[in-house]
Amino acid sequence: MLNPGHRNPRVVDTYSLITKLYLLGSVMRRMAESRFRGKGARDRFPGTLQVQTRSGCNAHCLLCPQDAVSKMFPEETMERALFERIARDAASDPRLLGFAPVLQNEPLRDADLPGKIRYFQALNKTNVIVFIATNGMLLVPETVRALLESGLDMMHISVNGYQREDFE
């Protein structure tokens, strides 16, 4: 059995009090930094980078804007060359702490997601945490194994509710 986070010693229990305090402190620090737009603003780099490798989602959660967004943009998968350029640039910056190949989509709809994670992890020299958030509907044993073998450090499974009754 593979251990989630086995390749990254910085992976922690996301439900611990220490982690929640760390994340809160990180958000507050970023908010404070964003107040100062003067000297050095161009030298900043995001602590976490989210990259949407494929648009679209298989759910219709009440709190998500995906239904409205999907009417404006076609469902497509990012070209591999573009992803690789973003991954190289991101992995080369020591200020990056987290890399998430997910944004306003269901990342497991990208058939090459494990390959993209593997590519980033091969470049990852500073223990950047690689994570995704999924609704879990496409999780099957083969997908879980492929994600673990790719070097994925953390997975959040969001159960926001697909129907009003579930959500409430």
Side-chain angles (χ1 to χ4, degrees):
M1 179 87 169
L2 291 172
N3 176 21
H6 67 283
R7 294 184 186 175
N8 195 330
R10 290 182 51 232
V11 174
V12 293
D13 173 10
T14 59
Y15 297 106
S16 73
L17 178 61
I18 292 171
T19 301
K20 290 176 183 175
L21 291 173
Y22 168 78
L23 293 173
L24 177 61
S26 177
V27 168
M28 292 177 71
R29 188 184 84 241
R30 293 278 178 206
M31 289 172 63
E33 287 175 359
S34 70
R35 299 172 94 188
F36 302 102
R37 297 273 182 217
K39 187 176 178 181
R42 289 171 291 187
D43 296 331
R44 287 195 210 108
F45 193 83
T48 301
L49 184 63
Q50 292 180 275
V51 179
Q52 184 168 305
T53 65
R54 173 158 174 68
S55 57
C57 186
N58 57 340
H60 305 282
C61 300
L62 296 173
L63 55 87
C64 183
Q66 180 57 38
D67 284 342
V69 170
S70 66
K71 293 175 185 170
M72 296 184 282
F73 302 102
E75 288 192 24
E76 295 181 315
T77 301
M78 178 184 286
E79 292 181 21
R80 181 65 185 235
L82 176 58
F83 174 81
E84 289 179 0
R85 190 179 98 215
I86 293 168
R88 281 192 308 272
D89 289 349
S92 69
D93 197 299
R95 295 170 289 182
L96 185 67
L97 303 174
F99 183 78
V102 61
L103 188 60
Q104 291 291 332
N105 68 325
E106 171 50 51
L108 299 180
R109 295 185 77 210
D110 183 347
D112 190 31
L113 183 66
K116 289 174 178 164
I117 293 169
R118 192 175 304 106
Y119 180 83
F120 182 85
Q121 288 290 38
L123 302 169
N124 185 2
K125 305 299 181 214
T126 59
N127 287 330
V128 172
I129 295 173
V130 180
F131 64 95
I132 63 170
T134 174
N135 60 37
M137 291 173 60
L138 300 175
L139 283 174
V140 294
E142 298 80 21
T143 303
V144 172
R145 178 152 304 281
L147 289 169
L148 290 172
E149 290 172 352
S150 73
L152 181 68
D153 294 308
M154 206 168 10
M155 179 186 327
H156 297 277
I157 301 173
S158 298
V159 184
N160 295 317
Y162 305 110
Q163 303 173 42
R164 181 172 290 281
E165 298 81 27
D166 296 337
F167 179 76
E168 291 177 345

